[in-house]
Amino acid sequence: KNLLDNNIKMSSKSSKKEKNEAIIEISLDKEEKKDPFVKSTGLTHEEAHDLLLIHGRNELPEKKVPKWYIFVSQLWQPMPIMIWIAAIVELAIENFIDMAILLFIQFANASIGYYEITKAGDAVAALKKSLQAKATVKRDGKFIEIDAALLVPGDLVLLGSGGAIPADCRTHDNQIDVDQAALTGESLPVTMYPGDSCKMGSTVVRGETEATVEYTGAETFFGKTASLLQQTTEYSNFQKILISIVIVLVVISSVLCSIVLIYLCTVTTFKEALSFVVVLMVASIPIAIEIVTTTTLALGSKELSHHGAIVTRLAAIEDMAGMSILCSDKTGTLTLNKMVIQEETPCYVPEQNQKTLLRYAAMATRWNEPPKDALDTLTLTAVDLSSLDDVEQLDYMPFDPIVKRTEGTVRDNTTGKTFKTTKGAPNVILSLITHNHKSVQEQVNRDITSYGLRGIRTLAVAKTNDNNDWELLGLLTFLDPPRPDTKQTIEDAVKYGVVVKMITGDHLLIARETARVLGMGDFICSAEGLPLLDPITKTKPKDLSKNFGDQCLSADGFAQVFPEHKFLIVECLRELGYKIGMTGDGVNDAPALKRADVGIAVQGATDAARAAADIVLTEPGLSTIVHGIIISRCIFARIRNFLIYRIAATLQLLCFFFIAVFWFKPIDYMPTGWETNPNFPDSQEWPPFFHMPVLMLMLITLLNDGTLIAIGYDNVEPCKTPAKWNRYVLFSISGVLATVALISSLLLLGLLLSSWETNSLFQQWGLGGMSYGQITTAIYLKVSVSDFLTLFSSRTGGDFFWSIRPATILILAGGLALSASTIIACTWPASYPDGIYALGLARRTPVALAVYVW
């Protein structure tokens, strides 16, 4: 009641958002204060099977978008809406044929988009199956790892640091820290005490405990409120680029078409002028731009999957192409994360040796359960487990990235003595030692330095004596060697302009030796002097990049850092304007993975790291990242080439008709006395301005844009430096290409219209006396051919168009579009679409006119 009263008072002064948060907090509190629960001791497989039939799988009801809705949604995008408007205008002025053509184009584009989206969605769904969450559960008296979807109420599960909470659970004896940001928006971890309720969708960031599953699937708190927890959709950098390009083209098209409409109203009827201008605007706007770019990204995602990388955010491919700094965790990322015990074992207490140190170290683990991390694996695989048969564990403190040690309280049943053992980082264990601390510390530091210079790591082992004081027993030495491909991967990354920085919590000397072996540089700094989050507000320091930018940029790596250091290093480099990639595998890497432009979780990463990452690696090593850099830059090049082509094609089409309408008046080119001239082929007067039938304009759009999806398979050369968008360069190159095509089109139109003039060029070539129907069809062929051939110039950047061989599928697609356009132009029957005379080029002399157009 007091809590409710306080929140009512608070809500009277708060915003609507704050009220909702208060209600959520009350509901969580009320749920946790209910009847006491009974701790589970585990289920049998038969009990679990029966409960699974009752409660169903532990999965949230997935809202699947019906495929018919995907198709319909393709008809209501910004570009299709313009086609609908144009079709309505054609209907209003009773141009039913033109309206039908526009509707055909509309549904053709929607069908292509539907096919590509559903194909990409099915591929991503199949790939993400490998990312399904796992849970450690006690069945038939043994802890086993199963698919989290098979959990049922009453199961006994293990919750550990770095793991996602698989269902709504009640904790048992130990306390843990839980990140509930996905549920409440609270950025700080919440401490859960024995008996507290942990919600599905949150993540353990510190500690370890057993827990009883209370609710699963739709009955969880997350399941009941899933609709309220959806993240808002934000435009990626790539989407912003596309939107800005489309806006520029729409503005240019609108301005030029408006001027044309005003002029045409002075020379023809408003109905005819409006019909032509509306269709010209539709033809000039890049309708297929989103389909082609999305398809290219989807194909790149599929290609990355072949190299062991699952893309969870499609726009991350474009971000990876521009990545200039790759921050990498060391253990498990640059190295194998497979510790190898060394023979040298320095001991500081008499009668201790490697065998006894391993035994005491094993007592600081849960030796009867599967190992939880690499150090537990190292210890339990090397120790003689039978020597622990007479030892009983009374209490256990698991490892977390803050404390950096584990601790076990045990009783030796052979002696009846109870004592504590611990293993962990030497500097942490030394802080526990009180007796003869200085001399022990000096010897330990000498040993650590000696081993560190050789790249050998140390694990300190200590136990309490009869006076309950800690004694340092000795150091276990081991080596975590670099992965075989790491050095080559780093060299390859540098070749492509990506700087690799090591960011690790490991000892400074070990980090330096690892960096030396891998050729990463020798300027490895410690965490001393690095920025920290505000202890109260947990916000980053002011002027972060100004005060720490030079330090973060110049260093080859950082050692002995904490999670917030990693986060702030990434944030500092981003503030400097660099696109940052971050690789990691542990829960301590998750904040930096989330903050980076490209977060990459390596193989075997924790659930927290995978949830925060944009790309999840399914194969060991970092070589996949170099493949990803190359593939992403190839994708970037393909999309850039297409955009250059599409902008050039739009500018060519718009400017050609804009100039042709004002400059070329076909009626003025008719020969004198054409009515009585027996050689003049046309029976009607030529129009007062040059324009093209709607059907021809739509054919250009359909054939060219429809076949351009093949650009996703094109051969390109990845750039050697991080890729960046430069809209001024895009429009400049496009403008040059458009100008070349525009001049040749205007030149051809002028030659065709003047073919009846004495001594004209076509008269001299023996091609004089053109029918206006041939002129119309010849210009259709010219615009169509120059449109598509512009692609082959735009795809090679600053090199000649033959410098990079096009992909076979692109050559076939180009051949299909060009052949179809040529055949249509040659065989077009004599007709008057939209009142414009059109005649196939091969239906009247000169039959070789198509060759001259080419």
Side-chain angles (χ1 to χ4, degrees), residues 230-291:
Q230 299 297 322
Q231 295 182 351
T232 57
T233 301
E234 295 182 358
Y235 288 116
S236 66
N237 177 60
F238 180 57
Q239 288 175 313
K240 293 176 181 177
I241 292 292
L242 286 184
I243 291 172
S244 65
I245 290 173
V246 171
I247 288 175
V248 171
L249 294 180
V250 168
V251 169
I252 294 174
S253 178
S254 300
V255 171
L256 295 184
C257 288
S258 298
I259 296 173
V260 169
L261 177 63
I262 294 172
Y263 169 73
L264 291 182
C265 286
T266 64
V267 298
T268 187
T269 64
F270 176 77
K271 176 180 176 180
E272 185 177 1
L274 182 62
S275 175
F276 171 70
V277 167
V278 166
V279 175
L280 176 60
M281 178 177 288
V282 170
S284 62
I285 291 175
I287 299 171
I289 191 170
E290 188 172 354
I291 296 174

Side-chain angles (χ1 to χ4, degrees), residues 12-62:
S12 65
K13 301 178 182 179
S14 66
S15 65
K16 184 177 180 181
K17 178 180 178 182
E18 291 170 331
K19 293 179 185 178
N20 291 338
E21 290 176 349
I23 292 170
I24 291 175
E25 289 171 3
I26 294 170
S27 66
L28 280 168
D29 187 88
K30 290 169 70 177
E31 189 173 345
E32 293 172 0
K33 301 290 185 185
K34 61 182 188 180
D35 297 336
F37 78 104
V38 178
K39 295 180 181 179
S40 173
T41 57
L43 302 175
T44 66
H45 279 90
E46 290 75 14
E47 291 171 338
H49 179 267
D50 294 339
L51 288 170
L52 186 64
L53 295 177
I54 297 172
H55 298 280
R57 289 171 64 85
N58 180 35
E59 296 173 333
L60 298 182
E62 186 177 357

Side-chain angles (χ1 to χ4, degrees), residues 328-331 401-402 404 425-428 430 441 445 448-449 457-458 502-512 524-532 551 557-566 569 588-589:
S328 176
D329 182 43
K330 182 180 73 70
T331 306
I402 304 297
K404 294 188 176 182
N427 60 324
V428 174
L430 277 173
Q441 184 180 32
N445 287 336
I448 292 175
T449 301
R457 303 180 64 185
T458 54
M502 179 196 301
I503 305 180
T504 178
D506 214 339
H507 195 278
L508 177 61
L509 292 175
I510 295 175
R512 284 178 177 170
I524 308 297
C525 303
S526 67
E528 185 178 352
L530 286 176
L532 292 171
Q551 181 182 0
F558 297 90
Q560 295 174 289
V561 299
F562 290 104
E564 61 181 289
H565 290 137
K566 297 184 178 184
I569 290 170
N588 56 329
D589 300 320

Side-chain angles (χ1 to χ4, degrees), residues 667-818:
I667 192 173
D668 294 341
Y669 290 87
M670 296 184 72
T672 305
W674 63 271
E675 300 94 333
T676 59
N677 188 342
N679 296 322
F680 191 76
D682 299 339
S683 58
Q684 293 186 4
E685 187 177 64
W686 290 3
F689 66 96
F690 180 82
H691 56 305
M692 193 179 291
V694 172
L695 180 57
M696 288 184 174
L697 286 173
M698 293 298 100
L699 281 174
I700 293 172
T701 300
L702 183 63
L703 286 174
N704 289 8
D705 282 356
T707 55
L708 277 177
I709 291 178
I711 201 171
Y713 302 90
D714 191 21
N715 298 325
V716 292
E717 290 289 338
C719 54
K720 297 296 183 181
T721 56
K724 294 182 179 180
W725 289 107
N726 190 324
R727 278 166 285 192
Y728 298 105
V729 172
L730 281 180
F731 276 92
S732 297
I733 297 175
S734 300
V736 172
L737 294 175
T739 301
V740 173
L742 171 64
I743 292 174
S744 61
S745 296
L746 291 173
L747 180 61
L748 178 63
L749 177 59
L751 292 174
L752 290 169
L753 288 174
S754 61
S755 65
W756 285 95
E757 297 179 4
T758 306
N759 296 325
S760 66
L761 185 61
F762 272 24
Q763 285 280 358
Q764 296 175 17
W765 289 356
L767 301 175
M770 296 286 181
S771 166
Y772 188 76
Q774 289 177 297
I775 296 174
T776 301
T777 312
I779 293 301
Y780 155 73
L781 178 60
K782 168 60 178 66
V783 172
S784 182
V785 169
S786 61
D787 247 16
F788 203 91
L789 290 181
T790 297
L791 173 65
F792 291 92
S793 295
S794 65
R795 59 179 293 278
T796 55
D799 297 325
F800 290 106
F801 70 89
W802 61 77
S803 60
I804 303 176
R805 183 184 180 277
T808 302
I809 189 172
L810 184 61
I811 294 175
L812 293 176
L816 174 65
L818 294 171

